[in-house]
Amino acid sequence: MCCCDKPTVNGEFGYKWQPNDAPMVRRPNAPELHEGQSLIHDEPGRCGGLDSHCHHYRVVKWYSSVYLLVRHGGGDECFRLCTTKALLDTLAALDSSPRYWMLNSLYHAYGDGKRIGTDQTNNYWRTAAADGRIKTRKLRGRNAVKVSVEPKAMPLES
């Protein structure tokens, strides 16, 4: 839990993990750039109403796309952002803190969408398996199998 006396960016003096700790500098821990990626924005973790010291964001251009690189306690993640000039102009117009919190919001919205989509897909297949509606068929002459889910049977009206 962050106990900084004022909003603090990683790399600045003032970070405190516990209330009785002496203020110190928390080292930024940026995700690594890969070959061909060019750095557009680098936003180290910080606090200010929310403890986000463990999330370091980088916006990079990779070929013709823009990606958000994230490093946090669970490792590194990377996903593609919208490639419009309007997004890049918007991010460039923001100061560091508003840009950081916007990237934080995008990251968490992405994570929520990914989790919800996975949960829905898992539930779809789990229900189909419980109903015995999953069908498999070996494709002739190939080392492949076709897997499908039969639609739910409609109840017959009397």
Side-chain angles (χ1 to χ4, degrees):
M1 181 175 106
C2 171
C3 293
C4 301
D5 294 328
K6 64 178 182 61
T8 306
V9 176
N10 293 352
E12 293 178 353
F13 181 78
Y15 173 76
K16 289 183 0 180
W17 175 248
Q18 298 291 331
N20 296 331
D21 287 349
M24 60 182 182
V25 174
R26 180 175 172 144
R27 185 179 56 86
N29 187 16
E32 293 180 24
L33 296 177
H34 299 289
E35 188 176 331
Q37 293 179 337
S38 58
L39 183 63
I40 300 172
H41 298 288
D42 183 40
E43 296 296 345
R46 61 195 68 200
C47 63
L50 181 68
D51 180 359
S52 188
H53 285 288
C54 61
H55 287 76
H56 193 122
Y57 299 108
R58 281 184 159 180
V59 178
V60 299
K61 186 150 187 169
W62 197 9
Y63 299 105
S64 62
S65 295
V66 176
Y67 288 83
L68 180 62
L69 308 180
V70 183
R71 176 166 286 167
H72 51 73
D76 290 358
E77 295 183 62
C78 172
F79 63 92
R80 193 174 71 82
L81 295 172
C82 177
T83 58
T84 63
K85 185 176 178 331
L87 173 68
L88 294 176
D89 290 347
T90 300
L91 291 174
L94 296 172
D95 290 335
S96 180
S97 282
R99 181 172 40 245
Y100 179 87
W101 295 113
M102 181 176 192
L103 295 173
N104 188 64
S105 296
L106 289 171
Y107 168 70
H108 287 288
Y110 164 78
D112 289 349
K114 183 176 167 182
R115 181 185 44 77
I116 290 167
T118 299
D119 290 348
Q120 289 175 343
T121 300
N122 289 345
N123 188 51
Y124 173 79
W125 283 94
R126 190 177 302 112
T127 302
D131 294 347
R133 296 182 291 118
I134 298 176
K135 302 300 174 197
T136 59
R137 184 171 64 88
K138 172 106 172 72
L139 297 177
R140 183 178 294 172
R142 294 171 51 192
N143 189 19
V145 176
K146 180 179 178 180
V147 180
S148 61
V149 175
E150 291 185 342
K152 286 186 177 183
M154 298 297 287
L156 297 175
E157 293 184 34
S158 13

